[in-house]
Amino acid sequence: MSPTAVAAPLDERITLPTTMGLAFKHPHPTNKIEHQVLYTVQQSVRAQLHAEYGTGANDPLLSAYWSGAALTAIRHDVSAWSGKHQQPVGVLVVSNTTYSPPNAAGKATVSFCTNWRHVMRGDAKTHVVGPAVQRANTPGTFTTLTLTRSSDGRWKVSDMTEAGHSPKCPASK
């Protein structure tokens, strides 16, 4: 008797290099919209890390999940890495995630803390790992993303605010 093929669920997450990981801690989605929005946030952060790792600010994954002012801001962040020939190496921790459902204008928001303590600055040319992005015992970055639904029905990050060393985020260990 031969084994029966079973369709496994498709994992559409953006694949990161083996030297880079993302720990995305978020509340359990309570409905389809919340699931879609939180999935988009996870994918948008993965797209950012993917682009920072080497594909650069013109990585097509960025425009798949980011738009408008947020796309401009994230491309600037990515260029800061690639302009110095650096790549992130380690695990980015996203925690303290809060979700606000779409308002009357159809905009949802997700806020979270990012801890870059376990992400090192790697030299893209020499592959030598440098210092951590975030020093020990310092608070993380508090980020708020605004998401809107595009004409094709997909959610995209349309606006972003960041506050480094925010008292809203626990200090890294």
Side-chain angles (χ1 to χ4, degrees):
M1 192 176 224
S2 63
T4 305
V6 176
L10 181 62
D11 185 353
E12 296 179 347
R13 291 179 299 172
I14 296 167
T15 302
L16 296 174
T18 58
T19 56
M20 189 64 225
L22 171 64
F24 183 56
K25 301 172 186 178
H26 59 81
H28 183 72
T30 60
N31 60 53
K32 182 179 177 181
I33 298 296
E34 184 174 1
H35 173 79
Q36 291 171 341
V37 168
L38 290 173
Y39 178 80
T40 300
V41 169
Q42 178 189 38
Q43 288 292 87
S44 65
V45 174
R46 292 176 80 82
Q48 174 189 358
L49 293 171
H50 185 269
E52 288 173 346
Y53 198 82
T55 54
N58 292 321
D59 186 321
L61 290 172
L62 293 176
S63 59
Y65 296 97
W66 299 84
S67 67
L71 179 58
T72 301
I74 209 66
R75 282 182 170 158
H76 180 266
D77 287 354
V78 168
S79 293
W81 284 85
S82 60
K84 295 176 183 173
H85 304 289
Q86 294 179 338
Q87 298 171 325
V89 177
V91 177
L92 176 64
V93 178
V94 174
S95 62
N96 297 5
T97 306
T98 60
Y99 163 79
S100 297
N103 60 20
K107 296 181 178 188
T109 57
V110 175
S111 297
F112 53 84
C113 292
T114 52
N115 181 328
W116 291 84
R117 173 70 182 108
H118 300 287
V119 177
M120 310 302 170
R121 294 186 183 279
D123 186 300
K125 292 179 179 179
T126 65
H127 304 289
V128 173
V129 177
V133 174
Q134 181 180 338
R135 290 191 322 252
N137 301 314
T138 59
T141 300
F142 184 75
T143 303
T144 300
L145 302 179
T146 302
L147 294 95
T148 54
R149 204 181 278 259
S150 59
S151 60
D152 65 0
R154 294 178 51 177
W155 289 93
K156 285 191 173 191
V157 179
S158 58
D159 198 20
M160 173 177 71
T161 59
E162 293 181 298
H165 306 292
S166 174
K168 294 180 180 183
C169 299
S172 66
K173 300 284 182 196

